[in-house]
Amino acid sequence: MTEPGTGPTTAVSLHDVSVSYGERRAVDGITLQVRPGERVALVGPSGAGKSTLLRLCNGTVVPSSGRLRVLGEDPAQLPAGRLRALRRRIGTVHQQLHLIGPLRAVHNVNAGHLGRWGRWRALRSLIRPLQVDQAREALARVGIAAHLHSRTERLSGGEQQRVALARVLVQDPDLVLADEPVASLDPARAEEVMRLLCGLLEEPHRRRTLVVSLHDFDLAVRHCDRVVGLRHGRVVLDLPADEVDERARERLYDLGPDR
Ligand code: ADP
């Protein structure tokens, strides 16, 4: 029997999910459904549980209690092979870009294939890059096709960020998770990276799902369909972006200090 909220109509489904670290509840009884193709921003003060929620979504943290489904699967119940297959469908954008500086951009972009390629194919590609056209196309989509063969560490910070986004494109995930992807950027760069990140979601026959944690409330409202506010591991706000107003923002940030 299919449980409510776990069928193909949800990309991510949490039902009364909690995550505890010792005495501390990082996520406290969250029930939340994310529809395929939705762009959901997680906002809230530091320590609210945003990263833990994202880690639940990529299966690196398992619920202490409650039910979780990601792309229709329960990561905690999957054998290793199926968990790897699930993770191939999930692209993660980190604040730290996790690029290998001395390598040329093409290799860092091709790292998006690593979940599919065997070890030998990966090694072969380091000697003579494989699927170069696809890497070039991905770099073109983020505006830096000319840097295909540039050493990554010689690129500017903004260009390196684009290489990391191109790597996600090559991975071709159904679900994109981004943990504070613009936290260290000035407002203009943050806006640009959010625009590029959202651009990655659009494919001819589908739209990838995005769950992104953001410090900047206005950025969340401008770029996402829906804003989910967390405090103390709980959802205290869940609104379509176009219904978010000043009162909603106050509700999220003016509930007194975090624990
Ligand atoms: P946010 O991303 O909103 O800043 P986090 O999910 O990182 O929040 O953290 C939520 C709470 O859980 C915080 O109180 C944090 O200290 C705690 N926490 C997160 N990860 C761990 C961990 N690995 N071990 C112990 N406590 C943790």
Side-chain angles (χ1 to χ4, degrees):
M1 195 179 80
T2 310
E3 293 174 48
T6 60
T9 51
T10 60
V12 179
S13 165
L14 293 93
H15 182 81
D16 200 16
V17 168
S18 295
V19 175
S20 299
Y21 295 107
E23 298 279 281
R24 189 166 203 88
R25 279 200 170 194
V27 164
D28 190 5
I30 287 187
T31 295
L32 184 73
Q33 262 92 44
V34 177
R35 287 183 293 280
E38 221 177 0
R39 288 186 299 219
V40 177
L42 303 178
V43 294
S46 274
K50 304 181 294 296
S51 302
T52 306
L53 192 47
L54 286 167
R55 288 201 283 265
L56 280 165
C57 294
N58 68 17
T60 52
V61 162
V62 295
S64 309
S65 62
R67 288 199 311 273
L68 169 70
R69 292 284 182 282
V70 181
L71 301 173
E73 310 264 23
D74 177 352
Q77 302 296 325
L78 291 178
R82 280 182 57 201
L83 184 59
R84 276 199 300 278
L86 176 64
R87 289 204 175 127
R88 279 200 288 274
R89 299 176 61 200
I90 303 170
T92 305
V93 179
H94 299 277
Q95 197 181 326
Q96 300 78 18
L97 303 176
H98 299 300
L99 299 171
I100 301 176
L103 292 183
R104 289 183 280 144
V106 61
H107 295 299
N108 275 302
V109 174
N110 271 350
H113 291 294
L114 289 182
R116 283 184 297 266
W117 285 357
R119 194 181 311 160
W120 291 114
R121 200 167 158 76
L123 281 174
R124 240 178 74 206
S125 181
L126 275 179
I127 297 160
R128 196 195 158 119
L130 302 170
Q131 296 186 234
V132 174
D133 287 345
Q134 195 184 350
R136 186 182 291 110
E137 205 177 294
L139 285 171
R141 230 170 114 178
V142 294
I144 55 163
H147 285 303
L148 183 71
H149 295 296
S150 304
R151 263 169 76 133
T152 308
E153 64 198 359
R154 299 225 175 109
L155 300 178
S156 71
E159 287 162 346
Q160 291 189 17
Q161 193 119 27
R162 288 165 194 246
V163 171
L165 293 177
R167 179 178 57 197
V168 172
L169 259 183
V170 158
Q171 185 191 341
D172 191 24
D174 294 317
L175 171 62
V176 178
L177 305 173
D179 195 358
E180 298 280 3
V182 299
S184 52
L185 307 181
D186 63 61
R189 277 261 305 280
E191 195 71 47
E192 175 68 3
V193 168
M194 281 307 292
R195 198 183 57 73
L196 288 169
L197 180 61
C198 291
L200 301 189
L201 306 174
E202 308 298 335
E203 288 293 295
H205 303 294
R206 76 191 214 272
R207 195 208 219 190
R208 306 180 214 276
T209 310
L210 174 70
V211 184
V212 53
S213 69
L214 290 167
H215 243 83
D216 184 328
F217 198 90
D218 295 321
L219 211 56
V221 169
R222 274 200 301 281
H223 290 278
C224 293
D225 307 316
R226 179 175 164 199
V227 178
V228 172
L230 300 180
R231 280 300 291 261
H232 307 312
R234 298 199 183 119
V235 174
V236 295
L237 169 84
D238 185 354
L239 284 175
D242 55 10
E243 289 178 24
V244 170
D245 57 13
E246 208 44 48
R247 279 209 357 251
R249 181 202 304 258
E250 280 167 15
R251 229 170 47 231
L252 180 62
Y253 288 102
D254 296 344
L255 296 176
D258 253 36
R259 289 172 295 184

